[in-house]
Amino acid sequence: MQAAKKMIFDQLSGIYEKKEIESLSMLIFEKVLGLTRIQVHLRHNETIAAANLVQIKEIINRLAQFEPIQYIFGETEFYGCVFKVNPSVLIPRPETEELVDWIINDYKHLSPAILDIGTGSGCIPISLVKNLQGASAEGWDISISALHVASENARANTANVNFQCVDILNLTDLPSRVEYDILVSNPPYVTTVDKELMQKNVTHFEPHIALFVPDSDPLIFYRKIAEMATKYLKIGGHLYLEINEKSGIEMIDLLFSKGFTNITQRKDINGKDRMIRCEKPNLITEHN
Ligand code: GLN
């Protein structure tokens, strides 16, 4: 294992930080050798079989091209479950786990009806139905290939979620459905300015349709989702959103103008304004 570790470091230094190579090499050994973290430590003096070395070399080559390790492995972990991922879905992020955790704490023992808009891998509704007893969930996405991944993830995690192909920006004349206790979304929110600061492994590999918004209208999805929430949420129901850390104030204004109450913003683990929750009041009045 020592020689393989040296190979990983030699080929990836200068491309990734030392700490990151350390964690990548652990992930590689765990995956390729089928070992736990502890076993990797205990067996660090053992020799690796030739076939496994070939696999490791292939992984290193792909990492050197900035391909995310989650796409190379075809899976990642989110809120304690394994999710299949491929380049048609965004890799689930820890920030989104925090949003899911917020909902789970609020709705424990309440069996809510949930709609996730822009579901991608399905990680949000799948985690919610698995952790909220009696909950029901729908996941909408514009991308058929994302919906395939989401359905597979629901099956693999034995979660019952109804996935549908919906283009929300072109949903006109929203009917009043009043069906859901919770609307949740992590829509695209990255602008061109933010893109400049992002890593190649995100911008070159992850689906642009799930990430980017026009600079001329960065809140395009949020406006539509808020409008949907005014019609689809039950009275007292909640809208939960993951947001761009720079949009906190505008998001509060937007939700206030649509008539929502109890608007609460939360920071993510990195101290960035990342999540917002609001409630549909008894009588919803728009403030223009
Ligand atoms: N948080 C993601 C990132 O910065 C973006 C997610 C999104 O656009 N919804 O890579």
Side-chain angles (χ1 to χ4, degrees):
M1 227 181 262
Q2 309 270 26
K5 192 158 181 187
K6 185 173 179 317
M7 180 173 77
I8 296 173
F9 268 85
D10 286 350
Q11 307 226 5
L12 297 181
S13 350
I15 306 177
Y16 294 90
E17 309 253 341
K18 190 166 174 265
K19 238 176 129 184
E20 199 162 3
I21 305 176
E22 197 68 62
S23 65
L24 285 170
S25 74
M26 176 55 82
L27 291 171
I28 293 171
F29 290 136
E30 284 177 323
K31 177 82 177 174
V32 173
L33 307 175
L35 300 177
T36 63
R37 181 166 289 251
I38 305 285
Q39 288 170 326
V40 173
H41 283 300
L42 291 175
R43 302 195 191 176
H44 74 281
N45 280 327
E46 289 182 16
T47 315
I48 293 181
N52 288 334
L53 266 185
V54 172
Q55 274 178 286
I56 293 173
K57 277 185 191 155
E58 207 178 294
I59 294 169
I60 301 174
N61 288 339
R62 291 172 70 175
L63 285 171
Q65 307 294 314
F66 297 99
E67 188 170 349
I69 189 101
Q70 296 91 338
Y71 288 154
I72 299 176
F73 290 165
E75 62 181 35
T76 191
E77 219 183 287
F78 181 89
Y79 214 82
C81 285
V82 175
F83 286 82
K84 177 189 157 141
V85 290
N86 67 28
S88 61
V89 299
L90 205 69
I91 297 165
R93 308 280 205 271
E95 301 89 283
T96 312
E97 283 181 312
E98 293 184 67
L99 182 70
V100 163
D101 195 58
W102 192 0
I103 301 175
I104 290 171
N105 281 314
D106 285 354
Y107 275 85
K108 242 181 281 164
H109 318 300
L110 290 176
S111 312
I114 303 157
L115 169 61
D116 175 35
I117 298 168
T119 201
S121 65
C123 62
I124 295 177
I126 293 170
S127 307
L128 290 176
V129 293
K130 284 202 79 79
N131 290 280
L132 290 169
Q133 225 188 5
S136 59
E138 281 177 45
W140 291 2
D141 208 289
I142 191 175
S143 156
I144 296 277
S145 46
L147 289 166
H148 280 302
V149 176
S151 302
E152 266 190 58
N153 280 327
R155 213 173 315 122
N157 287 297
T158 56
N160 189 9
V161 178
N162 176 8
F163 291 108
Q164 287 182 45
C165 187
V166 181
D167 171 6
I168 59 152
L169 293 184
N170 288 308
L171 265 188
T172 46
D173 296 329
L174 296 181
S176 226
R177 294 174 57 162
V178 200
E179 283 178 12
Y180 306 101
D181 300 287
I182 298 170
L183 246 75
V184 52
S185 185
N186 171 21
Y189 59 68
V190 178
T191 61
T192 320
V193 182
D194 304 323
K195 187 180 173 186
E196 303 294 316
L197 306 169
M198 285 166 95
Q199 307 278 356
K200 254 198 212 157
N201 55 6
V202 177
T203 55
H204 285 202
F205 289 93
E206 296 204 79
H208 287 191
I209 191 179
L211 284 169
F212 298 115
V213 281
D215 286 345
S216 57
D217 192 3
L219 301 187
I220 183 166
F221 288 98
Y222 295 100
R223 225 177 302 108
K224 190 72 187 197
I225 293 165
E227 190 193 330
M228 289 169 72
T230 61
K231 302 204 170 163
Y232 290 6
L233 274 182
K234 295 177 191 166
I235 289 165
H238 290 95
L239 169 62
Y240 293 84
L241 298 165
E242 183 174 318
I243 61 168
N244 187 317
E245 74 225 50
K246 295 178 194 153
S247 307
I249 308 263
E250 284 109 308
M251 281 304 306
I252 293 172
D253 283 351
L254 168 65
L255 296 172
F256 177 76
S257 76
K258 294 282 180 196
F260 290 98
T261 50
N262 293 328
I263 303 168
T264 314
Q265 198 168 291
R266 266 203 195 174
K267 293 189 190 305
D268 64 19
I269 198 169
N270 299 310
K272 300 191 167 159
D273 291 334
R274 183 66 67 206
M275 294 155 263
I276 202 158
R277 177 191 69 190
C278 61
E279 185 176 324
K280 178 169 164 177
N282 200 339
L283 233 183
I284 194 151
T285 347
E286 291 208 23
H287 308 272
N288 288 310

